Amino acid sequence: MRKMVLLGLAILLCAANALAAPEGKPTRVMVRAVSRDAKILGTHVGGARITIRDLATGKTLAEGVQEGGSGDTDRIMVEPRRRGAAVYDTPGAAGFLATVALERPTVVEISAEGPLGHPQATQRATKTLLLVPGEDILGDGVVLEIHGFILQFVDPAADVHVKTGDPIPVRATMTMT
C-alpha cells in the first residue's frame, strides 16, 4: 500500500511539473545609459540601444531603446550624492524598463550603445550581473556609463567645395555623449 501511495505521489508531481509554465518568473530591470560625468542619454541625442543577454546561452532576453529626458541637472551634476539616494530616477528621465522571465538565477550581460542619433560618436558599455527570479532592479537601476563626446561640424558645410591649398576655417561643437 505504501508503495502505491508513493507511486501515486510521484505521478502527481510529474503531472504538476509537466503543466507548470516554463516561462519563469517575471523580473523587471531598469537600465540607464549615462554619459561619463554628465547626464542620461535621452531622446534628444537618439537614446541608447539596450540589450540583456543570458551569458551562458547567448540568448537575448530583452532589447529596446532607452527614451526620455536627460534627467535632473541639479541632482546629477550639482548636488552632493548620498549613498543610496536616487540620482537618475526622476520624472521623465530616460531609461529602458525590461521584464524578463527567469526560471532560475541567471548571469546576464547588459549592454548599452549610444548615442543613436550621432553614429560617429557611438560607444558601447557592458555590465555583467546575476539576476534572481522575481527580484526587480528598479529606481536608478543598472547604470551603464558611456564615454566620449559628440563632435558636430558647423563650418564648412558638407556640400562646400574647397580648392586644394586654400585655408579652411573650421567650426565645430563638442558635447559630452
Side-chain angles (χ1 to χ4, degrees):
M1 181 66 160
R2 184 169 188 237
K3 287 183 183 180
M4 293 289 266
V5 170
L6 290 175
L7 181 61
L9 285 174
I11 292 171
L12 285 174
L13 285 173
C14 287
N17 285 336
L19 294 174
E23 296 153 3
K25 192 165 192 174
T27 306
R28 296 178 299 159
V29 181
M30 171 58 74
V31 181
R32 297 184 200 271
V34 305
S35 180
R36 169 81 173 121
D37 197 35
K39 296 174 70 177
I40 303 170
L41 297 181
T43 304
H44 68 289
V45 293
R49 179 177 302 106
I50 307 296
T51 306
I52 301 175
R53 280 193 177 83
D54 181 322
L55 199 57
T57 66
K59 179 183 174 189
T60 298
L61 303 176
E63 63 184 337
V65 175
Q66 168 175 290
E67 296 176 324
S70 60
D72 182 320
T73 302
D74 286 340
R75 190 175 291 188
I76 295 170
M77 301 184 73
V78 177
E79 297 170 3
R81 296 185 182 183
R82 289 188 341 257
R83 184 172 189 252
V87 175
Y88 303 106
D89 185 26
T90 58
F96 174 70
L97 181 60
T99 301
V100 295
L102 299 175
E103 296 177 24
R104 65 192 176 305
T106 305
V107 177
V108 298
E109 177 186 74
I110 301 176
S111 65
E113 289 181 292
L116 298 177
H118 300 273
Q120 79 284 5
T122 298
Q123 298 290 318
R124 186 171 192 264
T126 63
K127 193 173 275 191
T128 303
L129 63 127
L130 178 70
L131 294 181
V132 177
E135 295 295 321
D136 297 335
I137 300 175
L138 301 172
D140 278 355
V142 177
V143 177
L144 295 169
E145 196 172 72
I146 302 282
H147 293 255
F149 295 95
I150 297 172
L151 178 64
Q152 293 181 296
F153 288 98
V154 177
D155 284 323
D159 60 350
V160 171
H161 298 284
V162 180
K163 291 182 186 175
T164 302
D166 285 354
I168 303 171
V170 176
R171 286 187 326 134
T173 62
M174 183 178 293
T175 56
M176 294 178 174
T177 49

